[in-house]
Amino acid sequence: MVGASESSPHLHREANIPPWWAEAADDIARAASQPPVVFICGPKNSGKSTFSRFLLSTLLRRYKRVGYLDTDVGQPEFSPPGCLSLHMVDEIIPGLTNPRLRTPERCFFFGDISSKRDPEAYLNCTFNLYDHFIEGHYLCNEPDSPEKTTSPLIINTPGWVKGTGYDILVEMLRYMSPTLVVQIRISIENKNLPTGMFWVNGEEKRPVDLIDISSAHQDSLNRSLLIQKDARGMRDQRLLEYFKQCFPNDMNITKNKELAYALASLPPYVIPLSKVKVMHLHCQVPRSEIWHSLNATIVGLAVSSDESMRPSIPCCVGLGIVRGIDVNKGLLYVITPVPCCSLQTVDLLLQGFIEIPTSILQVRGCISPYMSTNVLHKISDKDL
């Protein structure tokens, strides 16, 4: 892991799987007459992600592939922060803490660590991912395609369960109509979601089972507790792990400053400004400042969507750091682990509020992982 020696002690907490979690996961895997669609919800830091990973491994002992819909833009499981993604997993995760990054089947760059700036866009992305799974992996009993089998789906959700966050969860539950809802609860009742089928305002689309389980962490009085986590540190670490993929594994980068030096010396991709458009996701930028606003930022590298689709949502192939922009030459310089073959399809840059970790910006004696315009003029064609 990148910078393991410099990271927060909360980043490597051992997973605690209590017997009631194991029993619930076994019941879900055994009881369903068809592959389940499992919606996991509960307050922030109650253990939703850990239980989701444990359930994923449990289901993979029965099914060849399991879908994992990650709707937590602040703490994604298999993608960098700011992303909503669908993964089709076909191998048991070796450890329940800090799962490795995976290439998603479909990904959208929301560009923020919470849905609060644009709940409608957040829901549109989430519903699109869900529909993609249902059409491709759930309703796929086609006589001419016997190799296609129905797969279960795990939907991991954010811990924002009050106010607008509650309304978003209700909209998700009504749209997705899961076969099973797992609610993780803690002893502080006012932090929990309501009990029962709190999202139903009429007749449910299909039967749904409810499972309430207590948080894994308890005090001496057996009261379920929240897990204390360094959320910002975990997000930064995830971004460092993502951009470490720019380099071969045998480079053995173990500290943040080593990654900072490596990124600063990495020849960037050169993208003509005429080949891409820019979309600012959560703010408006004057036309004269559009290109300059990208400098030294993390952007989503996206492919324009079919305009006939509504809502029109561009798919994201990965993230990039904009090292510099030469407006006079009409060139953009980007660092990204995205393969060149995928990068060639990118025609849209999405800018949100995902920031470059300060741990690689503030390294003594190291040029930050972007370059000023003056420095860019010194890069030779041979270097690029």
Side-chain angles (χ1 to χ4, degrees):
M1 176 183 293
V2 182
S5 61
E6 300 169 284
S7 56
S8 164
H10 296 300
L11 301 187
H12 305 287
R13 184 188 297 272
E14 288 298 321
N16 176 24
I17 305 301
W20 56 92
W21 279 24
E23 182 180 351
D26 287 340
D27 288 346
I28 293 170
R30 289 198 307 260
S33 58
Q34 64 176 356
V37 175
V38 186
F39 190 98
I40 300 172
C41 53
K44 181 172 63 173
N45 296 340
S46 60
K48 296 181 301 299
S49 295
T50 303
F51 180 77
S52 297
R53 293 193 293 269
F54 180 70
L55 178 60
L56 176 63
S57 295
T58 302
L59 289 174
L60 281 168
R61 294 185 177 94
R62 176 175 178 182
Y63 299 95
K64 291 183 178 179
R65 294 209 302 171
V66 177
Y68 194 98
L69 176 50
D70 205 343
T71 69
D72 189 348
V73 290
Q75 301 287 341
E77 288 299 291
F78 304 117
S79 300
C83 294
L84 292 156
S85 57
L86 172 67
H87 301 260
M88 295 306 299
V89 185
D90 58 5
E91 58 184 358
I92 293 177
I93 301 172
L96 293 179
T97 58
N98 195 41
R100 64 181 177 84
L101 293 161
R102 304 179 64 93
T103 300
E105 177 159 316
R106 176 169 287 200
C107 178
F108 298 125
F109 183 64
F110 182 71
D112 205 351
I113 59 173
S114 168
S115 57
K116 67 177 63 176
R117 290 185 194 270
D118 196 341
E120 182 179 359
Y122 172 86
L123 286 172
N124 285 337
C125 291
T126 301
F127 295 166
N128 184 297
L129 293 170
Y130 173 78
D131 290 341
H132 178 82
F133 170 83
I134 293 297
E135 294 167 6
H137 302 285
Y138 203 73
L139 302 177
C140 56
N141 295 323
E142 303 172 8
D144 56 341
S145 301
E147 73 281 358
K148 287 189 175 182
T149 58
T150 301
S151 300
L153 175 66
I154 297 171
I155 304 162
N156 187 33
T157 62
W160 186 23
V161 298
K162 301 297 180 180
T164 302
Y166 172 83
D167 295 336
I168 290 173
L169 274 179
V170 167
E171 290 297 317
M172 291 170 63
L173 281 159
R174 290 175 179 174
Y175 187 90
M176 297 176 181
S177 188
T179 61
L180 195 148
V181 175
V182 176
Q183 187 178 153
I184 302 180
R185 305 182 68 82
I186 64 170
S187 296
I188 307 173
E189 193 58 39
N190 64 3
K191 291 185 178 293
N192 291 320
L193 285 161
T195 57
M197 298 171 62
F198 59 87
W199 64 95
V200 176
N201 61 355
E203 186 175 340
E204 185 68 6
K205 293 180 184 177
R206 59 186 175 189
V208 56
D209 293 322
L210 305 177
I211 296 181
D212 287 356
I213 56 176
S214 298
S215 171
H217 289 263
Q218 298 187 338
D219 63 12
S220 59
L221 300 178
N222 292 327
R223 293 177 298 190
S224 297
L225 304 174
L226 295 175
I227 305 166
Q228 299 302 314
K229 296 190 296 187
D230 177 10
R232 182 182 179 89
M234 293 175 71
R235 284 192 294 270
D236 284 355
Q237 196 68 22
R238 208 62 169 156
L239 287 168
L240 297 177
E241 291 170 1
Y242 180 80
F243 285 105
K244 184 183 174 184
Q245 296 177 122
C246 292
F247 309 98
N249 292 332
D250 58 10
M251 280 193 66
N252 193 30
I253 298 174
T254 60
K255 296 183 179 180
N256 294 345
K257 67 178 182 180
E258 294 173 352
L259 179 60
Y261 282 111
L263 287 172
S265 61
L266 183 68
Y269 287 102
V270 182
I271 302 176
L273 300 184
S274 60
K275 299 295 184 181
V276 292
K277 295 181 179 179
V278 177
M279 179 185 298
H280 293 87
L281 297 176
H282 306 295
C283 66
Q284 294 183 341
V285 175
R287 184 180 296 272
S288 61
E289 298 297 322
I290 286 178
W291 296 113
H292 294 293
S293 69
L294 297 178
N295 197 26
T297 65
I298 290 177
V299 294
L301 305 171
V303 181
S304 297
S305 57
D306 186 348
E307 292 296 330
S308 63
M309 296 175 58
R310 289 292 181 266
S312 177
I313 307 174
C315 287
C316 179
V317 301
L319 304 186
I321 295 176
V322 179
R323 281 184 59 161
I325 300 167
D326 192 326
V327 177
N328 293 330
K329 291 186 176 181
L331 298 176
L332 184 78
Y333 300 86
V334 177
I335 300 172
T336 179
V338 175
C340 188
C341 58
S342 298
L343 197 60
Q344 289 175 347
T345 66
V346 171
D347 60 359
L348 184 62
L349 303 181
L350 305 176
Q351 186 182 38
F353 292 102
I354 304 301
E355 300 178 345
I356 299 174
T358 55
S359 58
I360 59 172
L361 285 175
Q362 300 174 350
V363 175
R364 181 178 298 178
C366 175
I367 302 173
S368 297
Y370 68 94
M371 294 185 178
S372 67
T373 303
N374 291 335
V375 176
L376 286 175
H377 286 304
K378 298 178 181 178
I379 301 178
S380 68
D381 294 336
K382 180 180 179 181
D383 292 332
L384 300 176

